[in-house]
Amino acid sequence: MTQIRQDDVIQSITDALQYISYYHPEDFIESIHEAYNREENPAAKDALAQILVNSRMSAVGHRPLCQDTGIVTVFCRVGQNVTFDTEMALTDMINEGVRRAYKHPDNILRASVLADPDGKRENTKDNTPAVIHYDIVPGDTLSFQVAAKGGGSEAKSRFAMLNPSDSVVDWVLEQIPVMGAGWCPPGMLGIGIGGTAEKAMMLAKESLMEPIDIHELQARGAQNRAEELRLEIFEKVNALGIGAQGLGGLTTVLDVKVYDYPTHAANKPMAIIPNCAATRHVDFELDGSGPAHLEAPNLEVWPDIAWGNDGKSKQVNLDTITPEEVQSWKSGDTLLLNGKIYTGRDAAHKRMADMLAKGEKLPVDFTNKFIYYVGPVDPMGDEVVGPAGPTTATRMDKFTGTMLRETGLIGMVGKAERGLEAIQDIKENQAVYLMAVGGAAYLVSKAIRSSRVVAFEDLGMEAIYEFEVKDMPVTVAVDSDGVSVHHTAPKVWQAKIGKIPVTQA
Ligand code: SF4
């Protein structure tokens, strides 16, 4: 009978979370590299290059791949012959491992978990608790699949109780375009079919723990219905032309996983959970001989891709920018930002909207300024700021009209598309929305040369910072005419791919 020590569980969970914070799985690197080589849209190819360069920098620097270091999800299989040498419950051991990982002195990770989700939403400050699923299985070992799931991709999860005769493929193809690019494609789709409502969601999440192997399946052919669906959905989703970061292109998904389970005759429960550019998961097993040993990957796995100023992007001075200059930009233009930019995300926007509603003066003058939707990781050592990539812009849509009308703000920088109302606000106020690449947070942070908190310090990573940036790469995603690259580009690439006819809205 195997005896598992408390310290081995805690240490292994800590090590696993540190490991996945800066090492992408090798299969993910290889798959992104292949997508990069195949990509024909220069904008999407550039986004893929940023993801690859960022990934290598994180692997070398042992700093997070993304500023959102995720909520921890653990699948734990407990062998029936295992005993524990501990006073702690297994759940408490896992959470202690999470706590130590996120507060690790060599690589502090961003604590993103809030207690009281529909109440005070207070940060638990150590990213606990994890979401843990147990299974009791035959055997002498304790095995784990540990993941750190980004909020942007989790937010795009979908569930439906289909009628038994409904088409799974049709439902997926309806969902993917409306999921937008906030899940930072390309990544993987986890699909769960069957069981009950909660079982379908669990199947979708668990399927994401598998490595990318769609090409092996393509080569050997499907042997059951789940594999048939994988192949069909993979081909059809990529034919939608959404592309990396929603910029249009050949690769939207790197793989599609389908797990299924018997279900009630009256039901066909269906779930989709996407995994993003910050795909982070690792497996290990404890057999009583000590903590897990996770081998560092060989850095030669990462392709040697040069990325930098290609001379095609416009240089922009944010300190002297005028509304007229902003209005000259067109959707799809690439820019390099220089100068001062303010930050702000959900909590800061809510507070500013409340202050404006009460007629109070804001602590920051936004006249002719840009705001960057970001919640950075705390800096380490001589860093100015930790990884600081963009967060999903649509969450700020409801504040956009107020900010543009009442504060003098002329532009925003975030991740993925804007909603129709926000696009209308941008057009009416002759402003602009720029997008940075989600999942390239460590690379973006190197463009930030100074950082200081200027308001709402109590909000922690959600405070308003003033960043001084140098050559920060962005794309004009919504121009002052209200043209959105996320609406136009996928249609162009869907037509080029030519497998699914483009219908005009
Ligand atoms: S890659 Fe995108 S969705 Fe994933 S954690 Fe980072 S910001 Fe969130």
Side-chain angles (χ1 to χ4, degrees):
M1 183 161 283
T2 306
Q3 193 169 57
I4 305 286
R5 286 187 297 270
Q6 171 180 308
D7 286 352
D8 292 348
V9 175
I10 294 171
Q11 184 70 46
S12 302
I13 294 286
T14 301
D15 292 349
L17 288 166
Q18 279 286 311
Y19 184 96
I20 62 176
S21 77
Y22 44 75
Y23 291 139
H24 268 132
E26 287 185 25
D27 54 89
F28 181 86
I29 298 298
E30 284 160 7
S31 187
I32 289 275
H33 187 205
E34 190 198 320
Y36 169 82
N37 286 335
R38 202 177 46 236
E39 187 55 67
E40 293 170 16
N41 177 7
K45 196 172 180 94
D46 182 75
L48 291 164
Q50 288 193 45
I51 290 167
L52 283 168
V53 171
N54 179 76
S55 178
R56 193 171 203 285
M57 286 170 64
S58 292
V60 171
H62 286 192
R63 291 291 278 145
L65 292 156
C66 188
Q67 78 288 340
D68 180 353
T69 49
I71 181 167
V72 178
T73 305
V74 177
F75 289 92
C76 178
R77 289 173 188 83
V78 185
Q80 286 173 167
N81 300 332
V82 165
T83 62
F84 291 91
D85 176 16
T86 173
E87 297 291 304
M88 291 172 90
L90 182 50
T91 295
D92 295 337
M93 287 184 249
I94 294 170
N95 281 325
E96 182 57 26
V98 174
R99 189 170 289 120
R100 291 185 196 178
Y102 278 74
K103 296 173 89 73
H104 199 292
D106 297 339
N107 175 34
I108 193 154
L109 306 179
R110 198 184 83 184
S112 306
V113 173
L114 312 182
D116 197 8
D118 191 38
K120 290 189 183 144
R121 292 181 67 84
E122 282 178 350
N123 197 306
T124 63
K125 300 214 164 69
D126 55 16
N127 225 48
T128 62
V131 177
I132 309 169
H133 309 288
Y134 293 105
D135 199 4
I136 309 295
V137 297
D140 303 316
T141 59
L142 186 63
S143 68
F144 292 90
Q145 292 173 312
V146 177
K149 188 67 164 56
S153 54
E154 192 70 6
K156 301 299 178 181
S157 305
R158 291 285 187 277
F159 172 80
M161 189 60 84
L162 299 187
N163 291 315
S165 60
D166 290 344
S167 160
V168 163
V169 176
D170 288 354
W171 182 73
V172 173
L173 292 178
E174 274 167 30
Q175 299 309 309
I176 301 298
V178 288
M179 278 160 58
W183 61 282
C184 292
M188 199 151 88
L189 291 182
I191 293 178
I193 309 173
T196 49
E198 84 284 8
K199 180 71 179 177
M201 294 301 290
M202 286 277 294
L203 291 168
K205 180 57 72 69
E206 196 173 359
S207 75
L208 293 173
M209 304 298 124
E210 287 209 27
I212 294 169
D213 61 359
I214 192 79
H215 295 322
E216 286 165 37
L217 177 59
Q218 285 170 324
R220 73 166 162 79
Q223 286 163 2
N224 53 45
R225 179 62 187 148
E227 291 184 348
E228 284 170 11
L229 285 170
R230 281 183 65 194
L231 292 175
E232 185 177 353
I233 293 169
F234 178 77
E235 186 181 335
K236 289 187 171 168
V237 169
N238 280 325
L240 291 171
I242 293 166
Q245 303 287 311
L247 288 165
L250 302 181
T251 303
T252 304
V253 286
L254 304 170
D255 197 348
V256 175
K257 300 294 179 187
V258 176
Y259 276 14
D260 59 13
Y261 194 84
T263 192
H264 190 285
N267 301 147
K268 198 194 292 186
M270 270 286 319
I272 305 176
I273 304 181
N275 223 358
C276 58
T279 284
R280 291 169 291 217
H281 58 88
V282 71
D283 300 357
F284 62 89
E285 192 171 74
L286 300 183
D287 60 7
S289 63
H293 174 68
L294 299 170
E295 194 76 45
N298 183 340
L299 287 177
E300 286 178 10
V301 171
W302 278 264
D304 192 13
I305 286 179
W307 181 86
N309 187 352
D310 59 2
K312 293 187 194 141
S313 301
K314 277 184 209 153
Q315 289 282 344
V316 172
N317 184 343
L318 294 171
D319 298 334
T320 57
I321 191 133
T322 60
E324 292 70 32
E325 188 178 350
V326 161
Q327 288 151 21
S328 73
W329 299 339
K330 292 291 163 226
S331 172
D333 288 355
T334 53
L335 313 173
L336 292 169
L337 303 182
N338 293 277
K340 293 190 174 56
I341 189 167
Y342 291 118
T343 76
R345 45 174 283 163
D346 309 57
H349 275 82
K350 169 84 172 70
R351 193 176 287 182
M352 287 192 285
D354 290 347
M355 289 175 78
L356 290 167
K358 286 189 224 151
E360 294 173 10
K361 188 169 180 291
L362 296 186
V364 175
D365 180 3
F366 286 105
T367 307
N368 288 351
K369 295 291 179 202
F370 277 67
I371 198 162
Y372 179 27
Y373 302 147
V374 61
V377 177
D378 285 343
M380 300 276 316
D382 57 5
E383 285 177 351
V384 166
V385 66
T391 197
T392 306
T394 45
R395 296 202 314 274
M396 265 50 78
D397 279 3
K398 63 182 175 184
F399 305 112
T400 296
T402 305
M403 290 295 293
L404 293 176
R405 274 190 304 275
E406 299 188 31
T407 71
L409 188 75
I410 55 172
M412 300 143 283
V413 183
K415 182 185 88 176
E417 69 285 344
R418 304 305 301 255
L420 292 178
E421 206 176 315
I423 291 173
Q424 191 58 28
D425 288 329
I426 290 166
K427 187 175 170 186
E428 278 173 17
N429 290 280
Q430 291 289 283
V432 71
Y433 164 64
L434 313 174
M435 58 152 283
V437 172
Y442 196 38
L443 177 68
V444 172
S445 73
K446 297 301 174 195
I448 300 166
R449 300 304 163 91
S450 72
S451 162
R452 67 185 181 105
V453 175
V454 290
F456 307 157
E457 192 164 7
D458 59 299
L459 296 179
M461 63 100 175
E462 298 212 39
I464 298 179
Y465 293 72
E466 181 191 77
F467 286 167
E468 176 92 29
V469 296
K470 172 103 179 69
D471 291 343
M472 178 177 166
V474 293
T475 300
V476 179
V478 181
D479 63 24
S480 58
D481 293 327
V483 178
S484 165
V485 75
H486 290 100
H487 292 169
T488 55
K491 286 201 177 77
V492 169
W493 284 88
Q494 184 174 327
K496 281 191 187 186
I497 295 167
K499 291 182 183 162
I500 300 178
V502 178
T503 49
Q504 296 303 328

